[in-house]
Amino acid sequence: MADFGNGTPAKKLKTDTDNECKDTGEFLSVSPVAGFEITRILRDSAREKNIFIHGKVKDQDAVVILEKTPIRQDTLPELLKSSELKLEMRNDVYSTYRLHAPAHLNQIKTTVVCPATEKHVKKYLHQETFLVEESGEDYRTITLPYISEQSFSLQWVYNILEKKAEADRIVFEDPDPDTGFFLLPDFKWDQKQIEDLYLLAIVHRRDVKSLRDLTSEHLPLLANIRSKGEDTIQKRFGVPSSKLRVYLHYQPSYYHLHIHFTSVDYEAPGCGVERAHLLSDVIQNLQADSSYYHNRSMTFPLRADDSLLLKFKEAGKL
Ligand code: M7G
C-alpha cells in the first residue's frame, strides 16, 4: 500500500481477485434516470452531500437518491496530478479552487426505487420524529397486526436468498437452514473504500421477523452470524472485529431477520441508540433471559406520518 508521508498507509479496498479497486458495472445504453421527471425534493443534506428526489419515470412513481462518494485515499495521487484547477480566490497564504477531477474519479452513487410505493416516498421524506415506547403487549396488539398488513415487500430479500438477484455480490454463504445466512454488501455501500463499509447478514430462516421474535432458541444462529461474519470481513476486507459495529434495527424497515455490519468509523444512518441494538448485547440478554425481547418495553423512533405512529396514538399510547 502507498504511504502518503504522514505514516498512515492509504486505505483502499482489498478484493479477493486482486488488490485494485475496480468498477464492476457496465455503462448502460439506456439510463433509468434520463427520463426521470422531478416532482419534489424529499430531503437533501449539504453536510451528507446527498439528495432524495421523488419523481416519475414513464408515469411510474420513482425515488432517486444521489450521493457524492467519499474521496478515496488510494486515488489521491492521480486526483491531484490529473485534475484541472480553477482559482476562486487568493489572500495571503490562503487560496481556494474548483478542482475538475477526471470523470472516473468524480462519480455520484445513484439509487433508484421504481416503481416506488407511497411508503417508500414517506421513508425518504424529511419528517419530524417521535419516540414511541412499545411494551410486549403493545407489540402483539398494535405493531404485529400493522406489520402483517402494511410492511414493505420482502421480495428483494427472497431474491437474494434464492440467488435471483445480487448473487455475484455474495461475500459469504452458510447454507445451514437453521443457523445459515448470506453476507453481502448493503446497497448503501459502493465498496470503493472501507471507511464506510456496510454489509448485511440475511438469515435463511423466514420465520423470524425482528428482534422481538428472538429467544434463546436463536442463540446458535446469532453466534454463527457474529463469528463467521466477523471472520469473513477480517479475511476479505482486512477489517478486524474491533472496527465493526454489528447490530439489529428495531423497528426494521424489512421484517425478515438481518444484521448490519458497519465500520465504526462510519456514522451509518440508523446507528443511533434509539434504533440500533448491538448484536453482542442481544446475545447476552437472550443468554440471561430467553423471553427478554418478548417481554421488555422497546423504544424506537417513528416519523410524523408513519401509520404505526397513528395506531399508537389511537390506542392512547402517545
Ligand atoms: P432495515 O433495518 O430493515 O431498515 O435494514 P433501514 O432500511 O431503515 O435501515 C435494511 C437494510 O437493507 C438497509 O441497510 C438497506 O440499505 C438495505 N437494503 C435495502 N434494499 C431494498 C436492499 C437491496 O435491494 N439490496 C441490498 N443489498 N441491500 C438492501
Side-chain angles (χ1 to χ4, degrees):
M1 275 191 188
D3 188 314
F4 294 107
N6 60 0
T8 314
K11 289 183 196 152
K12 70 177 176 180
L13 192 63
K14 252 170 73 187
T15 65
D16 58 355
T17 43
D18 58 26
N19 279 336
E20 297 300 313
C21 295
K22 281 189 178 166
D23 280 328
T24 46
E26 294 161 13
F27 282 108
L28 298 171
S29 51
V30 183
S31 156
V33 292
F36 182 73
E37 284 175 31
I38 299 173
T39 314
R40 63 178 166 155
I41 304 303
L42 299 170
R43 190 189 334 162
D44 72 332
S45 163
R47 196 174 71 84
E48 291 168 17
K49 300 189 177 49
N50 57 23
I51 187 159
F52 296 70
I53 318 159
H54 177 202
K56 297 237 180 230
V57 177
K58 292 190 190 136
D59 290 335
Q60 282 189 315
D61 274 290
V63 172
V64 171
I65 305 166
L66 303 177
E67 183 181 357
K68 296 237 176 164
T69 51
I71 297 168
R72 281 164 47 190
Q73 291 188 15
D74 61 303
T75 61
L76 283 178
E78 190 189 353
L79 183 71
L80 297 174
K81 200 168 141 209
S82 57
S83 300
E84 286 180 20
L85 281 192
K86 275 195 187 153
L87 180 69
E88 284 187 329
M89 72 94 194
R90 201 193 309 267
N91 183 351
D92 189 37
V93 294
Y94 308 101
S95 47
T96 67
Y97 305 85
R98 292 254 146 207
L99 184 148
H100 292 250
H104 67 284
L105 299 180
N106 194 16
Q107 297 166 356
I108 295 181
K109 182 174 188 306
T110 305
T111 307
V112 179
V113 184
C114 183
T117 61
E118 201 187 330
K119 200 170 156 71
H120 285 117
V121 175
K122 279 186 184 168
K123 175 173 160 82
Y124 296 120
L125 185 66
H126 181 73
Q127 295 231 1
E128 199 177 354
T129 299
F130 298 88
L131 285 187
V132 173
E133 191 177 321
E134 175 202 71
S135 65
E137 188 57 21
D138 294 338
Y139 172 71
R140 287 176 277 280
T141 56
I142 304 172
T143 310
L144 189 56
Y146 166 83
I147 296 171
S148 317
E149 273 172 29
Q150 304 212 19
S151 52
F152 278 123
S153 159
L154 294 176
Q155 193 54 52
W156 69 273
V157 174
Y158 299 147
N159 287 346
I160 290 172
L161 295 178
E162 291 160 22
K163 296 199 176 165
K164 291 181 181 158
E166 303 191 50
D168 53 338
R169 287 159 48 87
I170 292 167
V171 172
F172 176 79
E173 176 183 358
D174 177 339
D176 189 286
D178 290 324
T179 58
F181 65 99
F182 279 112
L183 184 73
L184 79 167
D186 190 283
F187 77 175
K188 290 208 259 313
W189 187 36
D190 68 3
Q191 302 180 70
K192 295 284 195 297
Q193 57 284 308
I194 55 166
E195 284 80 357
D196 59 347
L197 175 139
Y198 200 145
L199 292 117
L200 274 186
I202 302 180
V203 304
H204 287 301
R205 290 179 67 147
R206 299 190 182 197
D207 60 341
V208 191
K209 284 183 281 306
S210 75
L211 194 52
R212 272 284 184 211
D213 285 344
L214 292 175
T215 64
S216 56
E217 184 229 326
H218 303 102
L219 282 169
L221 168 70
L222 299 176
N224 191 41
I225 292 176
R226 181 169 63 177
S227 71
K228 291 188 182 148
E230 288 179 350
D231 199 43
T232 304
I233 292 173
Q234 163 80 69
K235 287 197 187 116
R236 177 76 182 257
F237 303 107
V239 177
S241 58
S242 56
K243 295 290 291 177
L244 287 179
R245 189 191 290 115
V246 186
Y247 57 96
L248 292 83
H249 276 156
Y250 194 76
Q251 301 282 335
S253 295
Y254 303 97
Y255 290 88
H256 174 106
L257 193 74
H258 57 274
I259 300 190
H260 303 250
F261 287 74
T262 65
S263 163
V264 281
D265 297 328
Y266 173 51
E267 237 183 85
C271 74
V273 290
E274 71 278 37
R275 192 151 179 242
H277 297 254
L278 284 179
L279 178 60
S280 53
D281 288 347
V282 172
I283 289 177
Q284 287 188 57
N285 290 335
L286 290 174
Q287 282 167 342
D289 174 4
S290 174
S291 336
Y292 186 87
Y293 291 103
H294 278 200
N295 298 333
R296 66 160 277 193
S297 284
M298 308 255 267
T299 300
F300 49 82
L302 288 177
R303 291 151 190 267
D305 72 349
D306 193 314
S307 341
L308 185 57
L309 186 75
L310 193 67
K311 301 259 179 239
F312 271 82
K313 278 188 181 153
E314 283 169 1
K317 303 283 172 179
L318 273 177

